Amino acid sequence: MTSNTEQFSVRETARELHDAGLCVLPIKADGSKAPSLSTWTPYKIHRSTPEEHDRWFRADRNSGVAVVYGAVSGGVEMIEFEGHAVEDGMLEAVTDIMEASGLGPEWDALSTGWVTRSPSGGLHLRVRVAGAPVPGNTKLASRLAREDEYTPEERQRLAEKPNSRIIRVQIETRGEGGYGLVEPSGGTVHATGRPYERVAGGPGTIPVLSAGVMGAIREICRMADSLPKVETPRSAPREPQPLPDGRLRPGEDYEARTDWADILQPHGWSFVTQRGSTRYWRRPGKERGLSATTGRAADRDRLYVFTSSTEFTAETPYTKFGAYSLLEHGGDHKAAARALRSQGYGDAAPHRGLAPVSHLPMQRDAPPIDGALAIQYDPLQEPELPEDPGRPGPPEVDITNEADGLDGLLAVMASNQLPDLYKRSTGPCWVTSDDQGDPQLVQLGTDNLRAYLAEHVQTYTITDDKETGGTKAVRALVNPRTCSTILGRRDWPLRKITGVITSPVLRRDGTLITGPGYDPATGLFLHPRVKVRRLAPELTPESLAKAKDIVLGQMLADFPWQTPADRANFLGALLTPIIRPYFDGTTPMFVITATAAGSGKSLLKDIFQYCYGTASTPWPENDAELRKAITAQLYTTGQPVVALDNLPNGHVIKSPILSALLTEEVWRDRVLGVTATVSMPNDRLWIATGNSLRTGGDNGRRVWWVRLDPDCPDPDQRDGYKVGDLRPWLRANASTVVAALVTMVRSWAAAGAKTVRVRKGDYSGWASLIAGILDHLGVIGWMADQDDAKALDDEAQDWRMFLEAWRDAFNERPVTTGEALGALKEYVPTMRDDLPNAKQLGHWLKSRQGRYYGTHKLTMVPDSHRKQNLWRVDVHAAAGAR
């Protein structure tokens, strides 16, 4: 470049600039380099005019001249090399790199088009950008200032903030919204008093370059930047502590042994040139220009990419290991380290396993025992518990990978290594106790399962060991998502639990379940309500007699049974939980009722509570609440007896929900918090208590009565019982009572388990079993109260009397409902004490046609001539014969 010392007047320069399509501004002559206008913003959009130039640049005014860059000047951009950058040789370096990159002709056109030297020795190069808007002012390259360059203000700032960085911009642009002074501005326009000088060309020789070429030129200029850049977690892993004994990690070894060409060229990158220690690279798919450098930083050989058109984050330094991780493993540094280790990089890495953890001691299961229950308890006969040899440690599962962790947890479940975890149709569950010691069957949610696994399984992840450079196992909780996935399965590799029992019970094969805990043969879990007595090896007549005396001769001796059938019914109910697994089907509800309060109903209910545990629930207000109560008891509680306690005095038990409960072996309903319908075995014994209770509808056929009649005033004041107050006696002797009841059942089973066939609808199988047991025990009265029970069914009684009166009034003649209503008003059953009209009575008759009440039944006789239904009452043939 040659200096052109020809001087132009400012006004002539403004005309030359305007003729070249540039927007001109006047500059103050005070060294500030600011426009001498109140505002110059309008000239970012509208080009100044010759008339304005005449005013601004008069002969009597001293001012400089500047050009506004960007769209207002036809897309002109200026690249400025600061004076210290020229002194540092940066212009020559950039020129060499431009030529090596294939952009030599374009750079030559730009650097010889219109070039101005500033008073500080810098160079301004202009270009018209074609095909895209000119970017705004941009700093392309900078360096840290040298100490000899510090200004007094900068020295003060360093004194106050020693960690401050003093930066010198070396290459920058003036683009859209920017302006720059041009020759012949001089004198006091610049603080140095020196002028701007034209070095080459002029406004009419500004070269035109495409936006793409200019983008490549800017990228190369940015490559001259020497400010240190900070690595990011994406580009390089966090700097680890040195390994002991000078050992190398795989990434460190890879850095030392690998060249950038081995990393970049397999992915389509090409080496362009090298200047000093800096190497220049071109991205795949690019024919000219440069995209990245390596070897530029003094502390470490890093890759620095200047374009956003690659896998790398632009203007972010990458170590060799960071670049390899991104290109080969998507930025996963751990996966990259494992892969490099498998290729032989790095020294052998040790692995540290889990440290042993202590767990709370687990309750030992009772040893298996056989034989008949001993009624006479002898502490010396308690089995000797072996010394606890210690349990093996909990199973370990690696959950570093979620899928592998899921498989590992399911494998642990399948191996039966998890105590007290079972499954039912709705998912995994466990057996626990409430505050009263009663068992609960709890369905596991995500948090429950996660807490359980935290207690019984050592789950861990594999992480890098900074101390050794290898890996180590770190204990970690299972991800809640994994727990949800396990719970969302259709099935689970766990033992199936079919129910909870609170006393020894009889299996189908006639053997007894006596050991607390899970019984694999039946799927039942024995959670004893009272201590299970040790079993004697032999059952003798004496032990059976003792058992009968405890139950019948002592505990039940002083209750005011209305008939022997009531005592037999109650004993049948008391034995039912022990034989429940022995038979299929449901059982009726036992209704314990009395003529007066204080007769002993609650005491009878308490016998169930002390022996087996009772889940009590108040009688609900309606059928919807009754259904909810039933479902809650079946789904969550483990007690074998459910009591609907203290029904209102004189209440008529009449509920279709109750009828369904007492006939369905499987109860299905929606459980609160569960979206799907769940199925539960209906294996409980249902009892109800209240004074002067009666039944209605179909409930009468599904009820067994236990009636008490003290036949005295103030029955709660009676005294002189054989066992004294029953509740304290039960607290002291409940274990003995259970032993006696089990002995009764075992004696019957040992004698052949004979049944006495009786017929009672859906309950015939169960009723025949109880009949056989009571016959073996010599207890009379079972089902002897069936006629009395019919009398306790109010609805059946009303309809029996109504049909008998109908037959007496009309004999076999069919009559209309209106005629029957008119003749039999005093006998017609009522609804809430209101007589039905003829139409309502017709509906009632249709719903009961063909059903016998006593020996009478209704028969519909259609009358086609009168187009209405007539009715008559028929009498059973056997009754007529009598």
Side-chain angles (χ1 to χ4, degrees):
M1 297 180 186
T2 60
S3 174
N4 186 347
T5 59
E6 183 179 357
Q7 297 297 311
F8 298 91
S9 71
V10 174
R11 179 66 188 86
E12 289 172 341
T13 299
R15 182 178 298 111
E16 179 188 22
L17 297 173
H18 182 78
D19 292 343
L22 304 175
C23 180
V24 179
L25 288 178
I27 299 299
K28 293 178 180 179
D30 59 0
S32 66
K33 297 191 288 185
S36 58
L37 300 171
S38 58
T39 177
W40 69 279
T41 300
Y43 300 103
K44 294 181 180 181
I45 302 173
H46 303 291
R47 196 154 64 101
S48 57
T49 65
E51 291 75 17
E52 290 174 314
H53 301 164
D54 291 341
R55 294 196 307 270
W56 295 342
F57 305 115
R58 297 196 310 268
D60 60 342
R61 294 184 65 178
N62 184 17
S63 66
V65 61
V67 170
V68 180
Y69 295 107
V72 72
S73 291
V76 175
E77 179 181 8
M78 184 261 282
I79 298 180
E80 178 181 4
F81 282 75
E82 296 286 353
H84 52 79
V86 175
E87 292 176 2
D88 291 345
M90 186 168 289
L91 180 61
E92 289 79 5
V94 169
T95 300
D96 289 345
I97 298 170
M98 292 289 181
E99 292 175 353
S101 71
L103 293 172
E106 289 82 354
W107 180 251
D108 183 65
L110 193 154
S111 58
T112 60
W114 177 24
V115 181
T116 299
R117 178 179 291 114
S118 71
S120 61
L123 293 175
H124 297 181
L125 291 66
R126 285 91 176 184
V127 62
R128 288 189 187 275
V129 181
V134 176
N137 300 342
T138 306
K139 292 178 174 60
L140 297 178
S142 302
R143 66 167 170 80
L144 293 176
R146 295 187 292 269
E147 187 174 355
D148 62 312
E149 297 175 325
Y150 292 164
T151 65
E153 292 79 7
E154 291 170 341
R155 294 182 185 279
Q156 180 62 31
R157 181 165 27 128
L158 284 173
E160 296 174 359
K161 297 181 179 179
N163 293 327
S164 299
R165 295 202 309 175
I166 308 300
I167 295 173
R168 293 289 182 265
V169 176
Q170 294 191 293
I171 307 175
E172 61 182 330
T173 69
R174 291 289 184 270
E176 187 65 42
Y179 71 91
L181 276 67
V182 300
E183 68 279 359
S185 302
T188 57
V189 172
H190 194 274
T192 63
R194 293 191 291 268
Y196 287 82
E197 299 175 333
R198 184 170 295 184
V199 176
T205 61
I206 299 175
V208 179
L209 298 178
S210 69
V213 169
M214 279 306 299
I217 288 174
R218 293 188 204 99
E219 285 179 357
I220 292 177
C221 290
R222 275 197 291 268
M223 292 180 185
D225 186 274
S226 61
L227 285 180
K229 298 292 189 298
V230 178
E231 295 171 346
T232 69
R234 176 178 172 82
S235 65
R238 187 165 51 188
E239 192 70 25
Q241 295 293 328
L243 295 179
D245 304 324
R247 289 184 290 108
L248 292 177
R249 296 180 174 85
E252 296 168 339
D253 194 13
Y254 183 79
E255 291 268 348
R257 294 165 52 187
T258 306
D259 185 77
W260 278 110
D262 301 328
I263 301 172
L264 296 176
Q265 288 179 343
H267 291 271
W269 287 73
S270 56
F271 170 73
V272 178
T273 188
Q274 182 168 350
R275 185 177 176 86
S277 62
T278 303
R279 302 162 76 185
Y280 296 87
W281 304 84
R282 183 180 297 141
R283 66 172 173 80
K286 189 173 183 178
E287 297 180 355
R288 294 196 304 166
L290 299 174
S291 305
T293 62
T294 59
R296 190 157 57 106
D299 62 327
R300 191 171 185 179
D301 188 3
R302 299 182 181 88
L303 173 71
Y304 195 81
V305 180
F306 295 88
T307 175
S308 59
S309 302
T310 71
E311 302 95 328
F312 299 97
T313 301
E315 301 185 16
T316 298
Y318 282 82
T319 64
K320 291 178 181 178
F321 177 60
Y324 167 80
S325 300
L326 177 63
L327 294 174
E328 303 293 345
H329 298 280
D332 188 339
H333 298 125
K334 292 183 179 180
R338 289 194 295 269
L340 290 177
R341 186 176 295 282
S342 68
Q343 298 171 31
Y345 289 95
D347 296 320
H351 173 76
R352 288 197 293 178
L354 285 172
V357 297
S358 60
H359 280 255
L360 293 176
M362 298 167 56
Q363 183 178 359
R364 292 180 297 176
D365 294 336
I369 44 182
D370 298 311
L373 286 171
I375 301 305
Q376 295 85 1
Y377 175 56
D378 182 0
L380 297 178
Q381 294 184 16
E382 287 293 341
E384 292 291 334
L385 293 177
E387 292 186 6
D388 189 351
R391 292 182 178 272
E396 298 181 0
V397 176
D398 182 357
I399 60 171
T400 307
N401 177 280
E402 186 175 2
D404 294 340
L406 177 64
D407 292 341
L409 292 171
L410 293 174
V412 170
M413 287 184 178
S415 65
N416 288 333
Q417 297 183 68
L418 300 181
D420 299 333
L421 189 63
Y422 310 98
K423 70 175 179 180
R424 52 178 173 173
S425 62
T426 48
C429 57
W430 62 37
V431 179
T432 184
S433 302
D434 61 17
D435 293 341
Q436 285 70 47
D438 292 322
Q440 290 182 312
L441 196 57
V442 178
Q443 196 72 34
L444 268 61
T446 298
D447 291 342
N448 300 125
L449 181 59
R450 192 168 186 239
Y452 178 89
L453 294 175
E455 181 179 357
H456 296 286
V457 181
Q458 283 208 69
T459 50
Y460 63 90
T461 58
I462 300 297
T463 63
D464 294 332
D465 190 345
K466 296 179 181 179
E467 295 182 14
T468 66
T471 58
K472 63 180 179 180
V474 178
R475 190 158 186 249
L477 292 180
V478 179
N479 192 312
R481 182 174 58 245
T482 302
C483 295
S484 297
T485 301
I486 293 175
L487 296 178
R489 291 169 55 90
R490 290 186 302 172
D491 195 14
W492 305 267
L494 297 167
R495 296 174 293 179
K496 182 178 181 180
I497 190 168
T498 57
V500 177
I501 53 177
T502 58
S503 70
V505 297
L506 192 67
R507 298 187 185 97
R508 292 294 180 96
D509 61 3
T511 60
L512 288 170
I513 299 175
T514 56
Y518 183 77
D519 179 55
T522 61
L524 295 171
F525 187 100
L526 176 54
H527 186 288
R529 175 67 180 174
V530 294
K531 183 179 179 63
V532 177
R533 293 296 181 82
R534 175 176 168 79
L535 297 174
E538 298 293 337
L539 177 65
T540 64
E542 290 76 18
S543 62
L544 176 59
K546 179 65 175 178
K548 291 173 61 177
D549 178 66
I550 291 171
V551 175
L552 299 173
Q554 298 180 46
M555 183 177 69
L556 302 181
D558 296 311
F559 282 91
W561 312 104
Q562 186 167 316
T563 67
D566 298 294
R567 187 183 73 151
N569 291 350
F570 182 79
L571 182 57
L574 205 53
L575 295 171
T576 295
I578 298 174
I579 65 167
R580 192 65 187 80
Y582 190 76
F583 67 91
D584 294 317
T586 58
T587 59
M589 183 171 72
F590 283 81
V591 177
I592 304 174
T593 187
T595 56
S599 300
K601 304 181 302 300
S602 296
L603 291 176
L604 290 179
K605 186 198 71 170
D606 286 349
I607 294 174
F608 288 104
Q609 171 66 20
Y610 281 98
C611 294
Y612 305 117
T614 301
S616 295
T617 184
W619 182 254
E621 297 178 356
N622 52 54
D623 279 349
E625 294 300 319
L626 177 59
R627 174 176 283 278
K628 292 179 183 178
I630 291 170
T631 301
Q633 296 297 339
L634 290 175
Y635 191 70
T636 60
T637 64
Q639 296 94 316
V641 181
V642 181
L644 301 170
D645 204 11
N646 289 324
L647 275 66
N649 186 57
H651 183 74
V652 177
I653 303 173
K654 181 180 180 182
S655 167
I657 298 297
L658 198 58
S659 294
L661 170 70
L662 298 175
T663 54
E664 295 178 4
E665 295 185 43
V666 177
W667 182 259
R668 294 176 175 85
D669 196 10
R670 291 279 296 275
V671 177
L672 185 64
V674 179
T675 56
T677 298
V678 297
S679 301
M680 298 154 280
N682 181 15
D683 55 1
R684 311 299 173 87
L685 180 71
W686 300 84
I687 63 176
T689 66
N691 291 322
S692 302
L693 300 180
R694 303 179 72 82
T695 59
D698 290 334
N699 290 161
R701 298 184 296 111
R702 295 172 172 85
V703 161
W704 238 255
W705 292 93
V706 176
R707 298 166 299 170
L708 300 177
D709 183 5
D711 193 25
C712 68
D714 301 323
D716 58 327
Q717 298 301 312
R718 292 171 298 155
D719 201 356
Y721 301 115
K722 289 186 178 180
V723 297
D725 291 338
L726 183 62
R727 288 188 180 95
W729 185 86
L730 283 171
R731 277 193 286 270
N733 295 278
S735 178
T736 301
V737 173
V738 172
L741 294 171
V742 174
T743 298
M744 291 178 177
V745 171
R746 185 176 183 274
S747 174
W748 165 76
K754 296 179 181 179
T755 61
V756 175
R757 180 174 174 79
V758 295
R759 298 300 302 160
K760 190 57 178 176
D762 294 336
Y763 313 121
S764 296
W766 161 81
S768 298
L769 285 175
I770 296 297
I773 296 174
L774 298 185
D775 181 69
H776 173 75
L777 298 175
V779 176
I780 62 172
W782 180 249
M783 294 186 66
D785 62 342
Q786 295 305 297
D787 289 339
D788 294 341
K790 293 177 182 178
L792 295 174
D793 187 335
D794 280 3
E795 183 177 343
Q797 282 287 87
D798 290 345
W799 278 89
R800 182 181 63 79
M801 295 173 61
F802 176 51
L803 297 189
E804 289 176 356
W806 184 315
R807 180 72 180 193
D808 291 342
F810 304 113
N811 202 359
E812 298 180 357
R813 179 170 66 88
V815 298
T816 66
T817 55
E819 183 178 357
L821 187 61
L824 302 171
K825 286 184 179 180
E826 57 185 292
Y827 297 103
V828 174
T830 59
M831 181 69 70
R832 299 186 182 91
D833 297 327
D834 295 327
L835 280 175
N837 56 35
K839 186 175 182 180
Q840 289 174 323
L841 180 59
H843 288 310
W844 292 2
L845 298 181
K846 285 181 181 179
S847 66
R848 291 165 173 81
Q849 62 174 320
R851 176 178 174 181
Y852 278 98
Y853 290 92
T855 58
H856 293 59
K857 72 173 181 177
L858 281 162
T859 301
M860 186 171 67
V861 182
D863 187 339
S864 58
H865 177 69
R866 299 167 63 180
K867 294 184 173 54
Q868 64 179 351
N869 293 325
L870 303 180
W871 297 88
R872 73 167 183 263
V873 172
D874 293 331
V875 180
H876 194 270
R882 292 194 299 270

